[in-house]
Amino acid sequence: MIKGMWWKVAGIILVIYSIIAGIMVEVPALPLIHQTIRNLFYHVPMWFAMFIMFGTALVYSIKYLSSLKLKDDLIASQAVNTGLFFGSLGLLTGMVWAKFTWGDFWTNDPQLNGAAVSVMAYLAYTILRGSIDERALRARVSSVYNIFAFMLLVIFLGILPRLADSSLHPGKGGNSSAMGDLDPTMRLVFYPAIIGWIIIAFWILDIRKRKRILELQQQF
């Protein structure tokens, strides 16, 4: 049992470290964003965790279509739910950052709009699953939808914002990338934060998966 806990303990330590260090570490005096650059330690890791969870859902959806094992569909669905949790945190932290940087919680920015569309696409996935009663049919339809949802995620968050000329986000629309310009001190917080939150995401996924399996066992 102790052997199986090491990665969870590591995740907790990394997250606690990044939260505390993110507040206390020295950050460069950059124009416009100033001290709000600290949100990089919290906002961006949420998106990384979301991407990993949606990517995990994609993998297990493809596995289900090839194996037709309902457990693969179960993991895919819980990965989507976990990804939506981190996507919601990403939107909230992004809105706070936008308020302090651009003066409004939401601007007509391709990155923000793409994030909203991507999250809504996965919300539609949960609605679709809830509308189909037959388990095998629900699993097949959901798996196919999951593949297209991930393609939309890549397009709306990875491709279109980079092509847009009007994006305010760093690294988009010709703006310099704050992530690419991180000084060594910020990197010592930023990368552990990403790793820590991804570990926590897999921990949440594991809990959700085991909880759902128990619920299904009680039904039969």
Side-chain angles (χ1 to χ4, degrees):
M1 183 176 179
I2 299 298
K3 292 182 179 179
M5 288 289 294
W6 71 267
W7 60 279
K8 300 174 184 178
V9 174
I12 292 173
I13 292 173
L14 288 173
V15 166
I16 293 176
Y17 161 75
S18 64
I19 291 174
I20 297 175
I23 297 173
M24 300 180 64
V25 73
E26 290 289 334
V27 295
L30 299 177
L32 185 61
I33 55 178
H34 304 294
Q35 289 293 318
T36 65
I37 188 64
R38 296 181 188 276
N39 201 10
L40 185 76
F41 304 134
Y42 314 112
H43 169 64
V44 178
M46 297 300 108
W47 289 123
F48 271 93
M50 181 195 74
F51 261 100
I52 293 296
M53 285 297 101
F54 287 158
T56 301
L58 171 69
V59 170
Y60 277 93
S61 290
I62 294 174
K63 285 184 65 176
Y64 172 77
L65 291 174
S66 62
S67 68
L68 298 181
K69 295 180 179 178
L70 288 175
K71 184 177 180 180
D72 291 332
D73 171 66
L74 184 150
I75 296 175
S77 65
Q78 296 309 313
V80 167
N81 291 333
T82 306
L84 282 171
F85 171 71
F86 283 97
S88 299
L89 291 179
L91 286 175
L92 289 173
T93 53
M95 290 170 64
V96 172
W97 202 353
K99 176 64 176 178
F100 282 94
T101 303
W102 303 321
D104 203 347
F105 285 111
W106 200 273
T107 63
N108 188 24
D109 183 85
Q111 184 86 0
L112 296 178
N113 294 335
V117 171
S118 300
V119 170
M120 285 191 291
Y122 279 96
L123 283 173
Y125 166 90
T126 63
I127 296 173
L128 176 65
R129 286 186 65 86
S131 65
I132 303 175
D133 294 326
E134 205 276 310
R135 290 182 64 189
L137 177 61
R138 178 175 63 220
R140 288 195 300 272
V141 173
S142 299
S143 296
V144 173
Y145 181 93
N146 222 343
I147 295 173
F148 287 101
F150 192 82
M151 292 172 61
L152 288 176
L153 179 71
V154 172
I155 292 172
F156 282 107
L157 279 182
I159 299 177
L160 292 183
R162 295 184 180 277
L163 299 177
D165 295 327
S166 58
S167 181
L168 298 172
H169 262 74
K172 310 295 191 306
N175 299 321
S176 61
S177 174
M179 290 176 58
D181 299 334
L182 283 182
D183 63 33
T185 302
M186 292 188 67
R187 291 176 189 271
L188 291 175
V189 181
F190 180 63
Y191 295 128
I194 292 175
I195 296 171
W197 282 111
I198 289 175
I199 292 174
I200 295 299
F202 276 108
W203 190 359
I204 294 174
L205 171 59
D206 183 58
I207 293 172
R208 294 187 64 96
K209 178 191 69 177
R210 289 189 283 117
K211 177 177 179 291
R212 184 57 182 158
I213 290 175
L214 289 174
E215 290 174 349
L216 291 174
Q217 289 175 344
Q218 291 175 358
Q219 293 177 6
F220 298 98

